[in-house]
Amino acid sequence: KAGVTQTPRYLIKTRGQQVTLSCSPISGHRSVSWYQQTPGQGLQFLFEYFSETQRNKGNFPGRFSGRQFSNSRSEMNVSTLELGDSALYLCASRWGTVGNYGYTFGSGTRLTVV
Amino acid sequence: QQQVKQSPQSLIVQKGGISIINCAYENTAFDYFPWYQQFPGKGPALLIAIRPDVSEKKEGRFTISFNKSAKQFSLHIMDSQPGDSATYFCAASTENTGNQFYFGTGTSLTVIP
């Protein structure tokens, strides 16, 4: 069974540009969450999607957005990139949104903003 | 505000020893407490998790101890091995927060042969 797949693995962008990251959840998983991981702030919640609807959003500026498609694949977009957006962006999936249990994470997309 | 506080930041243990990582939380609504293990270049992987209705859960060499009254939980790695060298994150969540996980800041564990 394939795990959570994130593409691309690495990205280098220039300040002011925008970027789109992609996530394919485990087959059958309908809930997708995104996290930002940095050495200083650790893992911070960006948003969660279930059935193409954003169910929860973390404390990030509006430059960070996302969406989920009917096949549960998800994308996140960051516009007007800043140096501080350099981070590992992690996507995680699980079967549903009801009930409290763990997510399966992908290996992440390493974004470097120069 | 850090909802989950984790210590120590780094830990060095001899092979065969016991590794102990501690976490504390404030929100009494949290009802799910997982531990994740992360190797360099990889995403976090769920290691073991506990709910507040039990005080201890053991899976192989990994044990979670949970103290509800103190709002603390800890991960014990028995017979630590060099392959256990990784970063460990505790986390907490509740359905009331829309399945958002609050992570600790991580502990870098090094097991020396």
Side-chain angles (χ1 to χ4, degrees):
Chain A
K1 192 174 187 181
V4 178
T5 303
Q6 292 189 245
T7 56
R9 286 298 310 275
Y10 302 94
L11 266 178
I12 300 177
K13 289 287 188 179
T14 303
R15 194 170 44 180
Q17 287 186 313
Q18 76 161 13
V19 66
T20 299
L21 312 181
S22 180
C23 171
S24 293
I26 290 174
S27 178
H29 285 195
R30 297 166 61 198
S31 173
V32 174
S33 290
W34 288 87
Y35 284 81
Q36 181 196 64
Q37 185 175 23
T38 59
Q41 299 296 318
L43 283 139
Q44 299 215 298
F45 175 77
L46 281 156
F47 23 67
E48 182 203 7
Y49 286 88
F50 180 78
S51 292
E52 303 178 65
T53 301
Q54 185 181 93
R55 295 184 52 88
N56 194 14
K57 190 178 191 317
N59 189 26
F60 278 83
R63 299 185 297 107
F64 292 81
S65 63
R67 59 177 175 170
Q68 187 181 34
F69 302 95
S70 58
N71 62 358
S72 295
R73 192 177 69 84
S74 177
E75 289 181 346
M76 69 162 281
N77 184 276
V78 187
S79 62
T80 319
L81 283 165
E82 301 178 358
L83 296 178
D85 297 333
S86 295
L88 180 66
Y89 289 88
L90 292 161
C91 169
S93 75
R94 65 183 202 177
W95 182 80
T97 193
V98 176
N100 217 349
Y101 53 99
Y103 283 90
T104 300
F105 281 86
S107 294
T109 294
R110 173 74 63 184
L111 171 65
T112 302
V113 182
V114 297
Chain B
Q1 181 188 3
Q2 190 70 33
Q3 298 243 14
V4 179
K5 295 181 180 179
Q6 183 172 346
S7 63
Q9 186 175 358
S10 62
L11 182 61
I12 300 174
V13 172
Q14 290 269 0
K15 178 183 175 182
I18 302 174
S19 304
I20 302 175
I21 305 170
N22 301 300
C23 284
Y25 64 96
E26 287 298 323
N27 188 347
T28 55
F30 287 145
D31 55 8
Y32 180 72
F33 302 89
W35 284 90
Y36 280 84
Q37 178 190 56
Q38 186 176 27
F39 292 103
K42 299 290 186 182
L46 180 62
L47 193 60
I48 186 173
I50 198 168
R51 300 184 191 276
D53 52 345
V54 297
S55 60
E56 185 175 284
K57 183 175 181 180
K58 183 176 181 179
E59 288 184 4
R61 297 184 293 109
F62 301 91
T63 300
I64 300 179
S65 296
F66 187 83
N67 186 329
K68 188 174 182 178
S69 61
K71 293 186 286 186
Q72 295 176 347
F73 58 110
S74 60
L75 176 69
H76 296 234
I77 305 174
M78 312 300 287
D79 187 26
S80 298
Q81 299 296 313
D84 297 331
S85 297
T87 300
Y88 293 81
F89 294 92
C90 62
S93 73
T94 167
E95 285 190 67
N96 295 336
T97 58
N99 302 316
Q100 174 179 348
F101 278 59
Y102 295 89
F103 283 87
T105 50
T107 296
S108 176
L109 171 65
T110 302
V111 181
I112 52 178

